[in-house]
Amino acid sequence: MTTPHPLETRVVSRRFDQPDAHTLAGYLASDGFRALEKALAMAPDKVIEEVKASGLRGRGGAGFPTGLKWSFVPKQSPREKYVLCNADESEPGTCKDRLILEYDPFAIIEGMLICGHAIGAHRGYIYIRGEYRYLLDRMEQALAEARAAGYVGKNIRGSGFDFELHAHTGAGAYECGEESALMESLEGKRGIPRLKPPFPAVSGFMGGPTVINNVETLASIPPILLNGGAWFAAFGPPKNGGTRLFCLSGHVERQGVWELPLGFPLRKLIEDLGGGMRNGAKLKAVVPGGSSTPLLPGNVAWDLNLDFDSVAKVGSFLGSGGVVVVDENTCMVRFALRIMQFYRHESCGWCVPCREGTQWLQTSLTRFHNGGGRAADVDLMKEVSENILGRTFCALGDAAAMPTLSILQHWRQEFLDHLAGKPCPFGARTTAGAVGAH
Amino acid sequence: MSPFSPQLEARFRELMQRYPARRSALVPMLLYAQDELGWLTPAAVQRIAELLAETELAVREVIGYYSMLRTEPTGKYHVQVCTNISCLLRGGDELYAHCERRLGVGHKQTAADGVFSLEEVECIGACSWAPAVQVNYDFHQELTVEQLDKILDAYAARARGERTDS
Amino acid sequence: MADPALVHLTVNGQPLQVPAGTLLIEACKQHGIEVPSFCYYPNLSLQAACRMCLVEIEKMPKLQTACTVVVSEGMVVNSDSETVHRARKSAIEFILTNHPLDCPVCDAGGECELQDMTFKYGAEQGRFVEPKRHREEQQWSPVVYFDRPRCILCYRCVRACGEGMDVWALGVANRGINATIIPSHQDHLECEECGNCIDICPVGALTSGAYRYQTRPWEMQHVGAICTFCGDGCKTTLGVRNGEILRGDNRDKSGINGDFLCIKGRYGLDFTRHPERLKQPLARRDGELQPVSWGYALETAAKRWREIQKAQGAIGVIGSTRILNEEAYTLQKFARQVLGTPHLDHHRTADFPALFDALAGRGAESLARLDDLKTAPAVLLVGGDPTPQHPLTAWNLRWGYRQHKTRLYVLNSGDIKLRRQAYRYAQVASLAAAVRYLNGEGEAQSAPLTGVAEPSEKRWPQTPAAEVARLDEGLQDFRARLRQEQDVIIVFSGDIAGDSVRDLVAFGNSLSGQTRYLALADNANARGAADMGLYPDLLPGYVPVAAGQAGLNLEQMLAALPRQGLASLYVVGANPFRSHPVAAGDLKQTFLVVQDLFLTETARQADLVFPALCAYEKAGTVTNTGGQVQPQRRGGGCEGAKSDLEILHRLAAAMGEAAWGAADPDRTLQEIRAQVKGYDLPLAKLLAGEAPLALPLNGRVPRAAADLPLRPHHDTLFTAGTLGRYSATLNSVMEGRADKR
């Protein structure tokens, strides 16, 4: 349970302080399944229109308009349609879906049922990352309760609508957060992403038309249906409807997850919610939306509003809502190395530039950080990153290249300082390579 | 002969019913098999392949892909220290170095007594409660070296207690 | 008006027209624009993994993989821009980061796609200064070695093995930089050992145990020969150094087999180097076979045969299903004209005479080539097990299933591997009865039918066996479904003969559309032996001998031996005593002459043995089981042995036939083209390897007596009659397997 902060606007997190919301009784006591009731009384098209009107954009990282995604699903399909929930939360800096799974699992279920009604699907799966075992258990429990009470299964609450829903565990793979890789994994295969087109809305899980949404996106659906799309849209600036969960971590006094309207100033997030910079240190850099997004220098970040378009304007992405704050005492070479270590470990290995490029950059950054750098390395690492960017099978290559390029651009001097032998604030020890030995 | 308990076999049967094609159950089956056996033994691989009417090769391809799946045993308590960016900024490296010293093992190694094994892991989704460590499936968050020591002490005691009990 | 099925696009300013649905990379290739790639391979699933084929397409912000983009009207492509060249160069640079530069000792050196691409598109200077990741080489089977660091993960081998061979013995383990190809059984392979993974590997990651470290590719001559094992007629390119055949492979893909070659065609040819190869004639002296000169041997044979002719003794001749057309033709001529005997036959494994009899009066449109199986809408397979016995036939059937959703109906008395591609499968006790039933007579046996519900649409199933649905149908439904098909190809093995073949053709003729037929015979030139008249009652081209003039058939000749009924038996390239052992005393009054490569069960009993060359050591033509005629080219040699054609000509000369002259395969081929019905083939096409179809459709083929029985070999994947026993590699694979059991 988390107590609300006065600056928060709790929509998806409105039950986070309710001790029994994860039980069916608790959920029903606080508007639970009322949105479903309302949705089932509406024509499927009307439901999609309402979601479109809310301006809701995907909360997993890509920010694709949710209503539009739903509308791509063909009305008639010879193959079964599916609704999938992406609960493979793995983007470094991001830990918000975890809270929804923990405090409000029924909201996800209700969101999926509404989606199922809207697109004409009768089956869904919630793909939860393997490390979140206690949340899998909690979701299984919620599903069992929902099934027993007739909220999942045949003829839901006498409406004539059938929907079968199960939770499914992953087993450790960041790439399975990519929607088509998730479907491969859900089919019992290696999580290698698929060629697109076709897109999931046309051919997804088991080749059937599939909507796949992030946990937070789906949990936003019931309040949107209850209060109307316009109500939700009003929370944020135009085209950036609603609120979202921001995960603050790094060099702040208070780390945490808060729900704020889109467009909320980053400075206020750090100062008012995060209690300011830790030990009063100066802000050096911000990761605005998870480790895949280009880092912003402190001065740029300081005046930034947290909505999709504002962040895009300064050359980064709002991403998954993972805001990582980095202070002046941090070695950016080490930071770049740790990011690359992650992508090297998580690269599925399918395509050449990502597989070989992340390995190359990790090895070079390790050597460089350990004092073995050469002057040519700085530009070479930039070129290698550019050769990954835009040329890989899926977005993981870009995710590895973008933060690296931003660090090489904004903090080039730190690389030169390493060449000059200046002592590194992290010391000589580098764990990088350990995780790599998969 | 199944290497799994009757309960697990029953659970597998139920799992395989959940999907349009039973192969979908593969990843969960592997993880649950590992939970019961500690690691994916050759017999486990064989049995799961048989249940799904797949080749062992197909099963091994999948095992190798997922970083939580293991084909070698670990300690009773598998200590997973996150050192990814949010944890890095809050002392994840120090926690990891401390574990190495205290347990006397490195990455993906198991201590001689078999109680603890260590692994440096990627982001476990505890960024706003960094630095974090997962022991088996249990999260331990916002840790200092001292707190971690107490936690490891408790696990060590539990291991001793269970051993004398049994 | 533009053809609506054509799409117009522009590549590098050049306007192209290609059929709708074409992949951009293929469109470019068709117009001579090279777009490089490693992972793209025609007719295998798309990967987009190597990123070599990235091109610029207008209105698309990122570079696109030409191997996955389907052309669209008005598309404007640039495959030659600065950006594209940079991307290619960088893809090669990435591939080379962990690829060892051991080209001087790598088997693939000189025929490596990565070398070629680096030469053409790569960076002149390496910028990667980090240590390369090294792993030890692994032996996966007697014939397959894997050098992990050389692997560039193009996944061609995985797909060739799975999608192409339906074996699924290769997979990918781990992920990221640790991703690697793995074999089916952790540290070793258990598979069909076809070696297609080695041929298709663009680098030296997969190498052949039979060839590795023996030579450099440029030191060999590359001779396009026709495989001498089964009757499918695959091309195998022989690598020949100093007259020695070092390898067979299919890298140039110019034969009727396209990408395919099986274990026998690839590895079996080391029988040519077997130490027991016969290299000089042998004559029985004091009860022992002893080396003699060619002159002595030829004279001895001629002298004895003349004596026997004078005494009016019977001479039997048994021909081979592996000798070339020119040799088979000359053998029947030698038997009929020089020895003057009607007792001539060969080891029969398919009833071609019955097929041509039943097809009397119909033309080429009723015969199927092996290739036609790749696009057939429906195929009925009766008897046989093509996977081990006719591997190319099986490959083509799988191809049709995969690429054209061919509905395969299988009628078999056993359970064969092609069941996995079967649309309907009828396992019956008697094929003859089942065929009679199909043709509308007799009762439907209660035959359980199994079939996969529907061929997979897009993603090839990893293990097709998993989703097989049992269908509760009988032979009645099998027939009803077949009757709804159009343009069926009927393939049948030597498991049916005579009237069953006629029943089958009658049924086929009752189906709608154009029904075509393909009979499967066992050895490389079994069809040639039949076409060339190695029968007691049929002359070349299935022309019946005059009434009452038919000789003894093979079974009758062998039965005559204990009764001292044959004064002489001349066996050319056959081993009848293996299946019909004779007692020592049986041959007392029979002068036995054997012509072969090895001292077979038959040769061991001979009075005289002539050492013969094998198919890879001589020139001429062969006819595959579907009737396609192909040139055989001389690869290696064998000092001391002679071609069957030359031996026959020398024997004729020794017998006093001066007009025969010296052996000349070209002259004999001319004679065949003039004399044998259906072999008047265009020489240019024949020599160019176009495999034209022989059409010995002659009207009815009346048999002198009853239809002759058949005796199919039922070879396994690793056996090929007598010949396979002399292949060290085939044997090592079988032994390796036995060890593991």
Side-chain angles (χ1 to χ4, degrees), chain C residues 235-249:
Chain C
K235 181 171 170 188
T236 173
T237 302
L238 307 176
V240 185
R241 191 184 60 184
N242 302 331
E244 200 180 355
I245 300 169
L246 295 178
R247 73 174 186 193
D249 66 28

mmCIF file of all heavy atoms in Angstrom, chain C residues 235-249:
data_model
loop_
_atom_site.group_PDB
_atom_site.id
_atom_site.type_symbol
_atom_site.label_atom_id
_atom_site.label_comp_id
_atom_site.label_asym_id
_atom_site.label_seq_id
_atom_site.Cartn_x
_atom_site.Cartn_y
_atom_site.Cartn_z
ATOM 1 N N LYS C 235 22.358 -34.676 -59.526
ATOM 2 C CA LYS C 235 23.695 -34.305 -59.922
ATOM 3 C C LYS C 235 24.562 -34.182 -58.673
ATOM 4 O O LYS C 235 24.142 -33.612 -57.669
ATOM 5 C CB LYS C 235 23.663 -32.958 -60.638
ATOM 6 C CG LYS C 235 25.028 -32.520 -61.108
ATOM 7 C CD LYS C 235 24.883 -31.310 -61.992
ATOM 8 C CE LYS C 235 26.248 -30.701 -62.274
ATOM 9 N NZ LYS C 235 26.096 -29.425 -62.975
ATOM 10 N N THR C 236 25.747 -34.766 -58.727
ATOM 11 C CA THR C 236 26.699 -34.552 -57.654
ATOM 12 C C THR C 236 27.968 -34.032 -58.293
ATOM 13 O O THR C 236 28.453 -34.596 -59.275
ATOM 14 C CB THR C 236 26.927 -35.837 -56.820
ATOM 15 O OG1 THR C 236 27.979 -35.611 -55.883
ATOM 16 C CG2 THR C 236 27.292 -37.035 -57.667
ATOM 17 N N THR C 237 28.454 -32.917 -57.774
ATOM 18 C CA THR C 237 29.649 -32.328 -58.362
ATOM 19 C C THR C 237 30.862 -32.962 -57.708
ATOM 20 O O THR C 237 31.078 -32.818 -56.501
ATOM 21 C CB THR C 237 29.650 -30.805 -58.157
ATOM 22 O OG1 THR C 237 28.467 -30.279 -58.756
ATOM 23 C CG2 THR C 237 30.866 -30.174 -58.813
ATOM 24 N N LEU C 238 31.616 -33.686 -58.516
ATOM 25 C CA LEU C 238 32.775 -34.388 -57.973
ATOM 26 C C LEU C 238 33.959 -33.429 -57.879
ATOM 27 O O LEU C 238 34.248 -32.705 -58.822
ATOM 28 C CB LEU C 238 33.150 -35.566 -58.876
ATOM 29 C CG LEU C 238 32.035 -36.557 -59.200
ATOM 30 C CD1 LEU C 238 32.538 -37.617 -60.175
ATOM 31 C CD2 LEU C 238 31.540 -37.221 -57.919
ATOM 32 N N GLY C 239 34.615 -33.446 -56.730
ATOM 33 C CA GLY C 239 35.872 -32.716 -56.598
ATOM 34 C C GLY C 239 36.993 -33.719 -56.845
ATOM 35 O O GLY C 239 37.169 -34.653 -56.064
ATOM 36 N N VAL C 240 37.718 -33.537 -57.952
ATOM 37 C CA VAL C 240 38.685 -34.540 -58.376
ATOM 38 C C VAL C 240 40.085 -33.936 -58.379
ATOM 39 O O VAL C 240 40.322 -32.886 -58.976
ATOM 40 C CB VAL C 240 38.356 -35.058 -59.795
ATOM 41 C CG1 VAL C 240 39.303 -36.184 -60.180
ATOM 42 C CG2 VAL C 240 36.914 -35.515 -59.882
ATOM 43 N N ARG C 241 40.990 -34.593 -57.660
ATOM 44 C CA ARG C 241 42.381 -34.157 -57.687
ATOM 45 C C ARG C 241 43.240 -35.349 -58.082
ATOM 46 O O ARG C 241 43.154 -36.396 -57.449
ATOM 47 C CB ARG C 241 42.808 -33.618 -56.317
ATOM 48 C CG ARG C 241 44.164 -32.907 -56.354
ATOM 49 C CD ARG C 241 44.588 -32.493 -54.970
ATOM 50 N NE ARG C 241 44.717 -33.661 -54.093
ATOM 51 C CZ ARG C 241 44.994 -33.607 -52.792
ATOM 52 N NH1 ARG C 241 45.148 -32.438 -52.209
ATOM 53 N NH2 ARG C 241 45.089 -34.700 -52.080
ATOM 54 N N ASN C 242 44.049 -35.163 -59.100
ATOM 55 C CA ASN C 242 44.912 -36.228 -59.598
ATOM 56 C C ASN C 242 44.150 -37.538 -59.815
ATOM 57 O O ASN C 242 44.586 -38.599 -59.391
ATOM 58 C CB ASN C 242 46.075 -36.503 -58.618
ATOM 59 C CG ASN C 242 46.907 -35.260 -58.392
ATOM 60 O OD1 ASN C 242 47.000 -34.408 -59.281
ATOM 61 N ND2 ASN C 242 47.493 -35.145 -57.211
ATOM 62 N N GLY C 243 43.022 -37.427 -60.438
ATOM 63 C CA GLY C 243 42.253 -38.625 -60.772
ATOM 64 C C GLY C 243 41.533 -39.252 -59.589
ATOM 65 O O GLY C 243 40.876 -40.274 -59.724
ATOM 66 N N GLU C 244 41.664 -38.630 -58.420
ATOM 67 C CA GLU C 244 41.028 -39.200 -57.229
ATOM 68 C C GLU C 244 39.818 -38.339 -56.846
ATOM 69 O O GLU C 244 39.927 -37.104 -56.786
ATOM 70 C CB GLU C 244 42.039 -39.205 -56.084
ATOM 71 C CG GLU C 244 41.688 -40.159 -54.986
ATOM 72 C CD GLU C 244 42.740 -40.124 -53.850
ATOM 73 O OE1 GLU C 244 43.763 -39.422 -53.996
ATOM 74 O OE2 GLU C 244 42.510 -40.789 -52.846
ATOM 75 N N ILE C 245 38.685 -39.002 -56.619
ATOM 76 C CA ILE C 245 37.479 -38.256 -56.246
ATOM 77 C C ILE C 245 37.526 -37.984 -54.747
ATOM 78 O O ILE C 245 37.497 -38.900 -53.937
ATOM 79 C CB ILE C 245 36.214 -39.051 -56.593
ATOM 80 C CG1 ILE C 245 36.176 -39.330 -58.105
ATOM 81 C CG2 ILE C 245 34.978 -38.299 -56.149
ATOM 82 C CD1 ILE C 245 35.107 -40.339 -58.509
ATOM 83 N N LEU C 246 37.630 -36.705 -54.383
ATOM 84 C CA LEU C 246 37.783 -36.372 -52.968
ATOM 85 C C LEU C 246 36.454 -36.014 -52.303
ATOM 86 O O LEU C 246 36.306 -36.135 -51.101
ATOM 87 C CB LEU C 246 38.759 -35.214 -52.795
ATOM 88 C CG LEU C 246 40.202 -35.537 -53.209
ATOM 89 C CD1 LEU C 246 41.081 -34.306 -53.051
ATOM 90 C CD2 LEU C 246 40.767 -36.673 -52.365
ATOM 91 N N ARG C 247 35.535 -35.534 -53.087
ATOM 92 C CA ARG C 247 34.246 -35.192 -52.472
ATOM 93 C C ARG C 247 33.160 -35.130 -53.541
ATOM 94 O O ARG C 247 33.454 -35.052 -54.739
ATOM 95 C CB ARG C 247 34.325 -33.845 -51.754
ATOM 96 C CG ARG C 247 34.384 -32.666 -52.700
ATOM 97 C CD ARG C 247 34.317 -31.339 -51.970
ATOM 98 N NE ARG C 247 34.237 -30.237 -52.941
ATOM 99 C CZ ARG C 247 34.406 -28.967 -52.644
ATOM 100 N NH1 ARG C 247 34.688 -28.604 -51.408
ATOM 101 N NH2 ARG C 247 34.296 -28.039 -53.580
ATOM 102 N N GLY C 248 31.941 -35.202 -53.072
ATOM 103 C CA GLY C 248 30.797 -34.930 -53.924
ATOM 104 C C GLY C 248 29.954 -33.921 -53.191
ATOM 105 O O GLY C 248 29.790 -34.021 -51.979
ATOM 106 N N ASP C 249 29.477 -32.920 -53.886
ATOM 107 C CA ASP C 249 28.567 -31.989 -53.215
ATOM 108 C C ASP C 249 27.644 -31.392 -54.255
ATOM 109 O O ASP C 249 27.606 -31.845 -55.400
ATOM 110 C CB ASP C 249 29.322 -30.926 -52.408
ATOM 111 C CG ASP C 249 30.125 -29.989 -53.287
ATOM 112 O OD1 ASP C 249 29.737 -29.774 -54.450
ATOM 113 O OD2 ASP C 249 31.141 -29.473 -52.805
#
